[in-house]
């Protein structure tokens, strides 16, 4: 069904000026059959009495939006976490949208989180305990159309070509077509058999709901694209939300995909940021203006940055840190600063459990993964954090941390948004466009700090990606190749079963 719909609408019509000011949502979405059937039955038997005409598709939209937002990068654990809904979009579809949300809550399909604070946070929703068991038992999804939700303020895009961000990212998004496929049956079997994930055995049922939704979205070609200048400015697609374990199942026109990742990307772009401030790079000035007000930046931030940058102590710390990053050995060198200790032969790290609202000790596969977590803590935690790793690193690099904290003065999230905006402009708007202009026949797919293509063109991408990153930043990057089929996760899973059979004795999930 979805293939036919997309193939009939490959040529996108031009939007009028009025339409460009409207909100755009995708026409095709996937909803778990168990929820759709439950909603349909209730609507027939106990039809809601709303003030205006009932649009059952709006129920579907709310449910699919919750699933989609639970599938984002921020929800790495893929748990049933509460997520916010965009009130502007909801209001554009139906002014009385709260009636629809309240009805879904009354029917115990979703529930509203209790940590909402008026004027300080948004309402957040997740699936109710009543519906979860059924959702976990039956993860089959059904394709639905949202055309009925179109209004004077909402455009329903019939295909990815009609998305708001298609034209400015056409060089990447045009490859989301019938050639992009996933071995759906193979991926489904893998999910069904999997009981070991990320170093431990536990209840994977809710993760499997999300995983099935991810592969179903790709299989049914329910393609979408978003890119928001107000947040990270990254290009989000069905591939950016696809778990790495499913890469071996993905092909383009039957060919294997090969990716090239920028190693240590966030530290790399921090070096570029610092160099750009020192050298008054206009490119950085434009990005900074998206994150901070010109008044705030020019009045006190720039002055504080210059004070730190001008000190000899900062220059000494910076040279050490920059060498680590540009040599691609930051995580290895971090070990000497942090001096991590093994417990019972393994490394452990503190990780926050958003569901339980507690910090838990989790096993980490190796010291590199442990140090990567430390770097993310340094970059993205709050200034007042009590994290011991943050304090340890700050003792050795107090001036570097002082500089980073300046970017977090107004909001802790500003610094991560800044680095992500730099990354996005570099990889999406400069590097990939350069390659696409030079070789328009090369299929290109982006996943944040990496670009991928088919095996046929991999050598061209391997040559040009570092060349154009250098042209943008003035820094020589370290690029790492990743063959999407290199890791046979199913074989790896079977090997773990053989080595640790006692972990798999219980098959209750």
């Amino acid at each position: 069904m979805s293939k036919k719909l997309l193939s009939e609408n490959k040529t996108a019509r031009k939007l009028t000026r009025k339409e460009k000011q409207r909100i755009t949502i995708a026409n095709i979405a996937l909803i778990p059959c168990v929820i759709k059937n439950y909603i349909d039955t209730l609507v027939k038997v106990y039809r809601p009495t709303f003030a205006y005409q009932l649009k059952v598709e709006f129920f579907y939209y709310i449910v699919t939006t919750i699933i989609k937002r639970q599938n984002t990068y921020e929800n790495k654990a893929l748990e049933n976490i509460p997520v916010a809904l965009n009130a502007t979009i909801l209001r554009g579809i139906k002014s009385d949208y709260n009636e629809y949300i309240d009805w879904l809550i009354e029917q115990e399909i979703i529930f509203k989180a209790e940590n909402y604070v008026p004027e300080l946070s948004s309402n957040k929703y997740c699936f109710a305990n009543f519906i979860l068991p059924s959702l976990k038992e039956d993860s089959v999804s059904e394709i639905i159309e949202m055309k009925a939700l179109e209004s004077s303020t909402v455009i329903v895009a019939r295909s990815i070509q009609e998305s708001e961000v298609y034209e400015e990212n056409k060089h990447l998004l045009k490859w989301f077509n019938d050639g992009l496929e996933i071995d759906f049956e193979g991926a489904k079997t893998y999910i069904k058999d999997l009981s070991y994930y990320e170093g431990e055995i536990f209840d994977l049922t809710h993760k499997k709901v999300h995983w099935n939704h991810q592969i179903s979205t790709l299989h049914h070609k329910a393609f979408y694209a978003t890119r928001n200048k107000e947040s990270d400015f990254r290009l989000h697609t069905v591939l950016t939300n696809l778990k790495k374990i499913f890469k071996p199942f993905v092909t383009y026109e039957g060919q294997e995909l090969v990716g090239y990742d920028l190693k240590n990307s966030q530290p790399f772009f921090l070096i570029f940021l610092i160099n750009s401030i020192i050298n008054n790079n206009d490119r950085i000035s434009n990005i900074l203006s998206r994150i901070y007000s010109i008044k705030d930046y020019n009045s006190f931030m720039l002055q504080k940055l210059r004070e730190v940058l001008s000190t000899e102590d900062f220059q000494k710390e910076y040279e050490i840190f920059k060498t680590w990053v540009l040599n691609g050995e930051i995580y290895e060198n971090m070990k000497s600063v942090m001096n991590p200790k093994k417990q019972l032969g393994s490394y452990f790290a503190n990780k926050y459990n958003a569901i339980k609202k507690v910090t838990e000790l989790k096993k980490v596969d190796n010291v590199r993964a442990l140090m990567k977590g430390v770097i993310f803590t340094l970059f993205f935690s709050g200034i007042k954090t009590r994290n011991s790793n943050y304090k340890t690193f700050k003792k050795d690099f107090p001036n570097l941390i002082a500089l980073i904290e300046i970017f977090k003065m107004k909001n802790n999230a500003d610094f991560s948004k800044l680095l992500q905006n730099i990354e996005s402009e570099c990889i999406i708007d400069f590097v990939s466009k350069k390659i696409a202009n030079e070789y328009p026949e090369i299929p290109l797919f982006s996943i944040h700090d990496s670009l991928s293509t088919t095996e046929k063109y991999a050598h061209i991408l391997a040559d040009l990606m570092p060349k154009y990153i250098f042209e943008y930043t003035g820094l020589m990057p370290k690029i790492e190749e990743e063959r999407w089929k290199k890791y046979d996760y199913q074989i790896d899973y079977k090997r773990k079963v053989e080595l640790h059979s006692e972990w798999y004795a219980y098959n209750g999930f």
Side-chain angles (χ1 to χ4, degrees), residues 66 80-83 101 104-106 108-115 123-132:
I66 291 173
N80 182 34
I81 65 167
V83 293
I101 291 177
L104 289 171
I105 292 173
E106 288 172 10
E108 297 185 78
I109 297 170
I110 66 173
F111 79 90
K112 183 165 64 175
E114 296 179 355
N115 58 348
N123 283 321
K124 293 186 177 181
Y125 306 90
C126 59
F127 292 107
N129 291 332
F130 172 77
I131 204 72
L132 276 178

Side-chain angles (χ1 to χ4, degrees), residues 60-159:
Y60 305 155
Y61 177 80
I62 294 168
V63 169
T64 57
T65 301
I66 291 173
I67 293 175
K68 194 173 177 179
R69 294 206 168 189
Q70 286 185 339
N71 260 307
T72 60
Y73 173 80
E74 288 79 8
N75 184 18
K76 288 184 178 180
L78 291 179
E79 299 292 353
N80 182 34
I81 65 167
V83 293
L85 299 173
N86 190 319
T88 303
I89 295 177
L90 296 180
R91 193 177 297 110
I93 297 171
K94 296 288 288 184
S95 59
D96 56 336
Y97 71 89
N98 278 315
E99 287 186 325
Y100 285 78
I101 291 177
D102 291 342
W103 188 85
L104 289 171
I105 292 173
E106 288 172 10
Q107 307 309 324
E108 297 185 78
I109 297 170
I110 66 173
F111 79 90
K112 183 165 64 175
E114 296 179 355
N115 58 348
Y116 166 69
V117 181
E119 298 183 4
L120 293 178
S121 63
S122 301
N123 283 321
K124 293 186 177 181
Y125 306 90
C126 59
F127 292 107
N129 291 332
F130 172 77
I131 204 72
L132 276 178
S134 299
L135 187 61
K136 291 176 179 180
E137 289 170 11
D138 183 2
S139 56
V140 177
S141 295
E142 183 176 333
I143 303 170
I144 55 173
E145 296 179 44
M146 301 294 185
K147 199 64 182 175
L149 300 184
E150 193 157 54
S151 69
S152 60
T153 53
V154 174
I155 302 170
V156 177
R158 294 170 293 176
S159 66

